Amino acid sequence: MENGIKKYGRLVIVILGMVVLAFLSTYPAFAGHFFAINNDGDIHLARLESIYQALKAGHLPSLINFIGFSHQGIAVNAMYPWPTLMIFVIPRFLFQSPMAGLAVGFFIMNLMAIVNIYLLMRRLSSKCLIVWFGVVLYQFNSYHFQVMYTRVAIGEAFGYAFLPLIFLGLYEVWLKKRSGILWLGLGMGLVANSHVLSLVMFTVVVIIVELIRLFRRESSWQEVLAIIQSGVLAILLSAYSLFNIATLMLSNRMVSPAPSIIPLDPNYGFTRMLSNTITETPNGAHMGIAIGLLMLVLLVSLFSVPQSDWQSWYLSALGILVIAQNWLPWIKMTNTSLQYLQFTMRLLTIVALLLTVGCVLFLKQVNWTSVPITILFGLFVITIGVGGLYQYHLQSNQNFNWARHKSDAKPAFNTTPEKAIWRHLTGKNYQQNVNQMTMADYHLKKTGAKGTPKITAQEKMELSATTQLNKTSIAFDDAQAKKFKETFVTDQKVGFKFHHFRAKQVKLPVVGYHKVNYQVFVNRKRVAYQRVDGQLRAKLPAGTSQIVISVANNSRHAGLLFFSLLIGGAMTVALFIKPKRLYESPGKHQQQYN
């Protein structure tokens, strides 16, 4: 009885600790009842609004987005998996406030990252001091806050949160534990339901790690089979999302997100690290001065601490960090598949995880017990991470006040009055921000190369040049679209008004994907349509026409979604009820990690 009370008491303390850390990771971004939004953030607001409105109307979200993106019907929900976004949508239903939904969603995302890294740290060490230090290192890494709050790259942020589960699964597979198959499958499946590029990156990492283990004769075919089984589970868990992506990609020639390679600039990043400045600039990303000092300490320790597993993890982190800098001839790779990575700073997610594991294994090897130093350095990491976030938040507010009062004072960072105002997201301008962004991504491509300029390899290292290239690559006729006036929009329908002096075939201001069943109504009568030059086209009568375009009769693949959810639920239950066969003793193999 007494042992049971102690056990649950420790559990309560752990949960409270996680909640406090998640709160510290979230509140500074919403202090003053506003959020510093950006272009990518507005893209996600439109996605969230579409999902919310669909569920509010009692049906699953459409894969075509009429809400936002100038109501052009881009397949954003299909190409950006939406299931994990429910952590933002459900709180909105509960609190009846989009801003509250956003704040609670980020809190849940932070909590998930903390829980997942805690599970991994507990597998590596039994000492609470070391475990929580590892949690703090990973959670309060400055790059983590840049991903979430300055870039508002929600898909990547999910990847950051789920990556520890992937390594937890790998670790247990290496220990010959069957539960590793489930952890790895769950982690990869959740990433696949969040962000495809992160899925590709993490898959490559897993393959490279296993190839290294095979080369060093540390692996076995049993281990390889376990990883393949994890992959199958991940595919089943993400079957709904992957099916939607595959269906659209195989049936349409779409414009991908701007292909480019922008490496980290060590001079720029170091300057920003010293000033504890985090922004969305891709070449100035850093992990914070506290993490930088820790890496120096571990570098020195390479020559003084006996060789062990921690060195491999640390050197891998250091190696990837070096590779991500502009010291390498990245310009030679601008026309390879690596161009879809866009920014090498994305590799910092992997660096953060490898560094955290390496540090914890190092502390475990030296039998670290100093509570004061651990707490002080942990607080230092938290202060740097939260301080950089809050500084960015205050700068955004400073810009807003400058733009609102049109004062002579200079803004905190380069901006315009209009941009400074819409970037200050509140409940009052939330809907304006939902409809703020247009983008070329996932439009249909022009046929052939006509009208599409060619850019040099050097220009491919500049985001502005590649973004402009994307805009000129789409088949959509913007000039024609501006002649239509939007009259209403829902998650699955959009209405326009158009006036012309004579009856003729007219391009409608909606993208015309293959494998999407549209319904076009003109003056309440259903009419035939064609797919021409990346858009829908229909015959409109002379005079004023009221046009409604609907995708309401498309399959939402509810059965496939239910199947994926069922697989995810079964995997989670199987892990947390802890059947003995999943946690059987791995025997001698485990001893090298204990």
Side-chain angles (χ1 to χ4, degrees), residues 450-523:
K450 184 179 180 181
T452 302
K454 293 184 178 181
I455 63 174
T456 64
Q458 182 60 47
E459 287 176 321
K460 275 202 172 183
M461 301 183 77
E462 301 170 10
L463 188 59
S464 58
T466 55
T467 301
Q468 185 59 37
L469 175 66
N470 263 21
K471 290 179 180 178
T472 58
S473 299
I474 67 174
F476 198 85
D477 189 342
D478 277 310
Q480 173 69 15
K482 290 177 181 177
K483 298 177 182 178
F484 289 77
K485 181 180 179 181
E486 179 257 321
T487 55
F488 78 92
V489 63
T490 71
D491 68 288
Q492 57 186 2
K493 292 182 181 179
V494 62
F496 298 100
K497 184 165 70 173
F498 180 80
H499 183 82
H500 205 267
F501 295 106
R502 59 188 178 87
K504 62 179 295 187
Q505 293 282 342
V506 177
K507 286 183 183 178
L508 305 178
V510 168
V511 179
Y513 295 102
H514 294 282
K515 295 294 182 179
V516 175
N517 188 12
Y518 298 91
Q519 289 182 313
V520 178
F521 299 88
V522 177
N523 298 328

Side-chain angles (χ1 to χ4, degrees), residues 219-437:
S219 184
S220 64
W221 289 114
Q222 181 184 355
E223 180 176 307
V224 173
L225 179 61
I227 290 175
I228 292 174
Q229 290 172 333
S230 297
V232 172
L233 287 176
I235 292 172
L236 295 177
L237 176 57
S238 57
Y240 169 80
S241 297
L242 296 179
F243 178 80
N244 292 332
I245 293 170
T247 300
L248 267 293
M249 284 188 66
L250 295 175
S251 307
N252 300 276
R253 292 180 65 250
M254 289 185 283
V255 176
S256 66
S260 58
I261 296 183
I262 302 177
L264 292 173
D265 183 334
N267 292 327
Y268 190 40
F270 186 69
T271 302
R272 288 180 171 266
M273 183 178 71
L274 291 180
S275 63
N276 200 26
T277 302
I278 58 171
T279 66
E280 57 183 306
T281 310
N283 61 346
H286 60 87
M287 297 188 293
I289 192 169
I291 304 295
L293 290 174
L294 178 64
M295 293 196 75
L296 287 176
V297 171
L298 292 175
L299 182 62
V300 172
S301 300
L302 285 173
F303 306 98
S304 58
V305 177
Q307 187 174 0
S308 186
D309 292 329
W310 75 269
Q311 293 174 324
S312 299
W313 291 89
Y314 170 73
L315 288 173
S316 297
L318 184 62
I320 295 174
L321 181 61
V322 170
I323 289 172
Q325 310 300 319
N326 60 11
W327 298 320
L328 298 182
W330 284 103
I331 193 171
K332 301 292 185 181
M333 304 175 195
T334 53
N335 291 317
T336 68
S337 297
L338 287 175
Q339 65 183 318
Y340 297 108
L341 179 64
Q342 293 185 303
F343 322 118
T344 63
M345 69 174 173
R346 287 184 161 134
L347 298 176
L348 293 184
T349 294
I350 299 167
V351 173
L353 195 283
L354 295 176
L355 176 62
T356 301
V357 172
C359 181
V360 166
L361 291 178
F362 166 78
L363 295 176
K364 182 179 177 181
Q365 179 176 331
V366 300
N367 196 26
W368 184 262
T369 57
S370 178
V371 176
I373 294 177
T374 307
I375 292 177
L376 285 175
F377 196 84
L379 290 174
F380 181 37
V381 173
I382 292 174
T383 301
I384 293 299
V386 173
L389 168 60
Y390 192 59
Q391 178 177 288
Y392 174 79
H393 192 71
L394 291 178
Q395 287 175 339
S396 179
N397 194 48
Q398 179 181 330
N399 282 355
F400 173 72
N401 289 327
W402 160 78
R404 187 176 56 171
H405 297 111
K406 297 181 180 179
S407 63
D408 295 329
K410 292 183 179 180
F413 43 82
N414 291 333
T415 188
T416 63
E418 181 183 13
K419 184 181 290 186
I421 288 174
W422 70 254
R423 282 194 165 199
H424 190 272
L425 181 68
T426 64
K428 293 181 179 179
N429 68 348
Y430 188 94
Q431 290 301 325
Q432 289 176 310
N433 275 269
V434 165
N435 297 304
Q436 180 72 29
M437 276 298 296

Side-chain angles (χ1 to χ4, degrees), residues 557-572:
H557 309 133
L560 198 54
L561 176 60
F562 177 76
F563 173 77
S564 292
L565 293 175
L566 190 64
I567 292 293
M571 292 169 68
T572 304

